[in-house]
Amino acid sequence: MMVLGSCRGLIILILYFLNALVWIPVVSLLGLLKALVPLAFFQKWIAVAFSQVAYLWVDVNNVFHLLDKTRWAVELPADLEKNHSYFIIAKHQSWVDTLVIFKILNRKVPA
């Protein structure tokens, strides 16, 4: 049973890596366009595009969580609003913390 869990973890890690390979060029291209085109309307469009890419990147990662048997107990304030900004401070214990934050806050707060 331990081997199955290890294989599942390795598969999820590979899927995260492949997902990053898809989205990193998109983010890089958007960043380059933002730097090269200083028009205000275009800058606003790029900001929206960055947010949508972030949401989609995390959405795809969240699909991979379906393969994971880990169960989390997370309590969020009930009054989180998507149209408010939040300052998130994390005392990272491992690289997994970032994925957990992305999973629990995706589409609940601004990207």
Side-chain angles (χ1 to χ4, degrees), residues 6-108:
S6 296
C7 288
R8 186 180 301 121
L10 181 61
I11 290 168
I12 293 170
L13 184 63
I14 291 169
L15 290 171
Y16 283 144
F17 178 74
L18 293 174
N19 192 34
L21 287 179
V22 169
W23 292 109
I24 288 172
V26 176
V27 169
S28 299
L29 179 61
L30 288 174
L32 183 63
L33 289 173
K34 182 175 172 59
L36 294 176
V37 183
L39 303 172
F41 75 91
F42 190 75
Q43 295 288 317
K44 192 176 272 192
W45 178 85
I46 289 287
V48 170
F50 268 125
S51 291
Q52 293 306 310
V53 166
Y55 288 139
L56 291 170
W57 190 338
V58 175
D59 285 342
V60 174
N61 277 346
N62 286 343
V63 170
F64 305 150
H65 288 288
L66 298 174
L67 299 173
D68 189 8
K69 299 295 183 190
T70 304
R71 297 296 165 240
W72 302 338
V74 178
E75 295 180 24
L76 292 175
D79 58 349
L80 287 178
E81 295 184 28
K82 197 172 179 183
N83 59 347
H84 285 88
S85 295
Y86 297 93
F87 189 70
I88 300 167
I89 300 173
K91 182 180 177 190
H92 293 290
Q93 300 295 312
S94 74
W95 65 271
V96 177
D97 296 353
T98 304
L99 297 173
V100 172
I101 291 168
F102 287 166
K103 179 174 176 49
I104 64 174
L105 294 178
N106 189 37
R107 299 187 184 271
K108 293 180 178 73

